Amino acid sequence: MAKDRKIDLVILGLLSHEDLTGYDIKKQIDSGISFFWKGNFGSIYPALNEMEKSGLVKKKQDKKSSGREKILYHITNDGKKALQEWLREERVSNDLKYETLLKIYFGGGEDRSVTLRNIEVFENQVKEELQILKIYKENLEKVIEEKDHINYYLTVTFGIDTCETYLKWCVKAKKLLRSGSDGSKNKR
Amino acid sequence: MAKDRKIDLVILGLLSHEDLTGYDIKKQIDSGISFFWKGNFGSIYPALNEMEKSGLVKKKQDKKSSGREKILYHITNDGKKALQEWLREERVSNDLKYETLLKIYFGGGEDRSVTLRNIEVFENQVKEELQILKIYKENLEKVIEEKDHINYYLTVTFGIDTCETYLKWCVKAKKLLRSGSDGSKNKR
DNA sequence: ATCAGCATGTAAGGCGTTACATGATTCA
DNA sequence: TGAATCATGTAACGCCTTACATGCTGAT
């Protein structure tokens, strides 16, 4: 398996539940984990091909009687082993790139309205995401007894908790910028 | 300027305060914004060279009477304009890659001790980061009246608030996993 | 008949990381 | 003298994104 390509593990994780096509994989990434991980066809299909060559997944053609091209992938024992090893590996990279924070950090030389606007934009993004996460959480709560769902539930509550913290921070930050000490011409 | 290379903006942001060498830039990234943005020499030096060619920064040799090689960079008016445009651009990409959450999401098929361990590893990382951020915040509070420092302060409080939320989530998550509904053999 | 969604893939390019290579200075 | 830090850069590689290219299916 490619050394640092996390998309491989995402694919193995999804295939450990059921056989899927590349298209299905993309959909599941979008709907289930997109708030902390992204995927796209340009990385999924090549990864599937390479993983088939190295024996982590197997193709299962499924033409459904029509001539429609569709490739179902199935995880192999080697694939399962690779997944398990990764899950037990304690080295993790949690890599955050908040362009919003960059703009706030470097916005000190501009009028404060610029930073205020950047906070508002972020606030709106977070509000949207929070709505989606809450719906997702409600749906999960209906089936929380099922195997695996407690793990999905944990990631969703992680998302909700952080979004709510972001929103509280936005309120605090705007207040501080509007009324706080301003030490320079950049008053507003 | 390269279309999507954010390192350019980081460099311009830092140079808008003072002239710096590539080495200085790396140090300031490490000490000031590393919790939400990373940088390394392999991207900084090439970026500086390209930005000099396109007129966003200027070289200011400074040999300090010794023969020691050292290149100070200075932001130009074009560079300042590029920085200001970016700060006012409302399109932002906040790109998160939590490998920890991936492992939790896909850990449902394993024994719960695996997920518990992954949470503990995360918890320890966050605790370490939080300590650093708190020291950073204390230092900033001494000089909060100075221009720009309110912006730095905001990013630090963002970091502290999210870290504290992470830690609370860890406690909650561990409790849920240890005592919660387990719907399968994966009891622990 | 047309459009959205299903389905698979390739190509180009950009970005970033890691490792490598070099050498000066400062302090113990 | 040796180690840590200062200082600049290159090369290789890998990963990911975006755009492109193609064609089928099902619903309106």
Side-chain angles (χ1 to χ4, degrees):
Chain A
M1 181 162 41
K3 215 180 33 164
D4 267 330
R5 204 173 47 191
K6 297 287 154 53
I7 187 68
D8 294 12
L9 283 322
V10 174
I11 290 171
L12 289 176
L14 292 171
L15 291 181
S16 71
H17 295 293
E18 51 178 331
D19 296 347
L20 296 166
T21 67
Y23 196 84
D24 293 334
I25 288 167
K26 170 69 160 62
K27 268 198 303 179
Q28 293 212 10
I29 291 174
D30 286 349
S31 68
I33 62 174
S34 67
F35 80 92
F36 62 87
W37 208 275
K38 310 273 182 297
N40 53 54
F41 293 128
S43 59
I44 292 168
Y45 285 116
L48 281 168
N49 279 321
E50 281 171 47
M51 288 162 77
E52 207 228 345
K53 275 177 207 153
S54 55
L56 300 172
V57 300
K58 256 189 342 204
K59 279 189 190 183
K60 284 178 70 175
Q61 221 84 16
D62 150 282
K63 297 232 178 187
K64 273 186 167 174
S65 78
S66 85
R68 174 73 169 287
E69 184 185 23
K70 191 171 172 178
I71 304 164
L72 267 179
Y73 285 92
H74 178 81
I75 190 167
T76 64
N77 283 332
D78 278 2
K80 281 179 196 162
K81 213 160 43 171
L83 179 63
Q84 283 168 5
E85 268 168 34
W86 170 68
L87 288 169
R88 282 166 176 78
E89 164 71 62
E90 300 197 353
R91 217 168 357 96
V92 282
S93 75
N94 293 311
D95 206 31
L96 318 182
K97 305 212 163 180
Y98 289 98
E99 193 176 1
T100 293
L101 289 188
L102 229 40
K103 289 191 180 184
I104 288 165
Y105 190 85
F106 291 124
E110 307 297 312
D111 192 281
R112 285 202 176 159
S113 61
V114 175
T115 300
L116 279 165
R117 182 67 195 136
N118 283 322
I119 292 172
E120 275 169 15
V121 170
F122 179 62
E123 202 175 12
N124 291 333
Q125 279 185 1
V126 173
K127 278 181 184 166
E128 245 175 79
E129 188 141 294
L130 184 54
Q131 268 190 353
I132 295 164
L133 285 168
K134 279 185 172 168
I135 292 164
Y136 193 76
K137 187 190 170 199
E138 276 168 35
N139 291 330
L140 268 178
E141 274 166 349
K142 292 174 195 155
V143 289
I144 190 71
E145 294 300 320
E146 279 170 52
K147 186 168 167 301
D148 288 347
H149 284 80
I150 191 170
N151 285 59
Y152 302 157
Y153 183 79
L154 287 176
T155 59
V156 179
T157 58
F158 183 98
I160 290 175
D161 291 357
T162 55
C163 280
E164 284 173 345
T165 298
Y166 291 167
L167 292 179
K168 277 183 218 152
W169 174 86
C170 287
V171 172
K172 243 184 9 184
K174 287 190 295 184
K175 206 177 285 178
L176 189 64
L177 278 169
R178 286 208 181 97
S179 66
S181 58
D182 45 28
S184 84
K185 65 179 160 63
N186 299 302
K187 187 167 172 177
R188 204 241 110 86
Chain B
M1 182 161 43
K3 216 181 32 165
D4 267 328
R5 203 172 49 192
K6 296 287 154 51
I7 187 68
D8 294 12
L9 282 323
V10 173
I11 291 172
L12 290 176
L14 291 171
L15 291 181
S16 71
H17 294 293
E18 50 178 332
D19 296 347
L20 296 166
T21 67
Y23 196 83
D24 293 334
I25 287 167
K26 170 71 160 63
K27 269 198 304 180
Q28 293 213 8
I29 291 174
D30 286 349
S31 68
I33 62 173
S34 68
F35 81 92
F36 62 89
W37 209 274
K38 310 273 182 296
N40 53 53
F41 293 129
S43 59
I44 292 168
Y45 285 115
L48 280 169
N49 279 322
E50 282 172 46
M51 288 162 79
E52 207 229 344
K53 276 177 205 152
S54 55
L56 300 171
V57 301
K58 255 189 342 202
K59 279 189 189 181
K60 283 179 71 176
Q61 221 84 18
D62 148 284
K63 297 232 176 184
K64 274 185 167 175
S65 77
S66 86
R68 174 70 170 289
E69 186 186 21
K70 192 173 175 178
I71 305 163
L72 268 179
Y73 286 91
H74 177 82
I75 191 168
T76 63
N77 283 332
D78 279 1
K80 282 179 196 163
K81 214 160 44 175
L83 179 64
Q84 284 168 3
E85 269 166 35
W86 169 68
L87 287 169
R88 282 167 176 77
E89 165 71 62
E90 300 198 352
R91 217 168 356 97
V92 282
S93 74
N94 292 313
D95 206 30
L96 318 183
K97 305 211 164 181
Y98 289 98
E99 192 176 2
T100 293
L101 289 187
L102 230 39
K103 288 190 181 185
I104 289 166
Y105 189 87
F106 292 123
E110 308 296 312
D111 191 280
R112 286 204 176 160
S113 61
V114 175
T115 300
L116 280 165
R117 182 66 195 136
N118 283 323
I119 292 172
E120 274 169 16
V121 170
F122 179 62
E123 201 174 13
N124 291 332
Q125 279 184 0
V126 174
K127 277 181 185 166
E128 244 175 78
E129 187 141 295
L130 184 55
Q131 268 189 353
I132 295 164
L133 285 168
K134 278 185 171 169
I135 292 165
Y136 193 76
K137 186 189 171 200
E138 275 168 35
N139 290 331
L140 269 177
E141 274 167 347
K142 294 174 193 155
V143 291
I144 189 70
E145 294 300 320
E146 278 171 52
K147 188 166 167 300
D148 288 346
H149 284 80
I150 192 171
N151 286 59
Y152 302 158
Y153 183 80
L154 287 176
T155 60
V156 179
T157 58
F158 183 99
I160 290 175
D161 291 357
T162 55
C163 281
E164 285 173 345
T165 298
Y166 291 167
L167 291 179
K168 278 184 218 152
W169 173 87
C170 287
V171 172
K172 241 183 12 183
K174 287 190 294 183
K175 205 176 287 177
L176 190 64
L177 278 168
R178 287 210 182 96
S179 65
S181 57
D182 45 27
S184 85
K185 64 178 161 61
N186 300 303
K187 188 167 169 176
R188 212 237 111 82

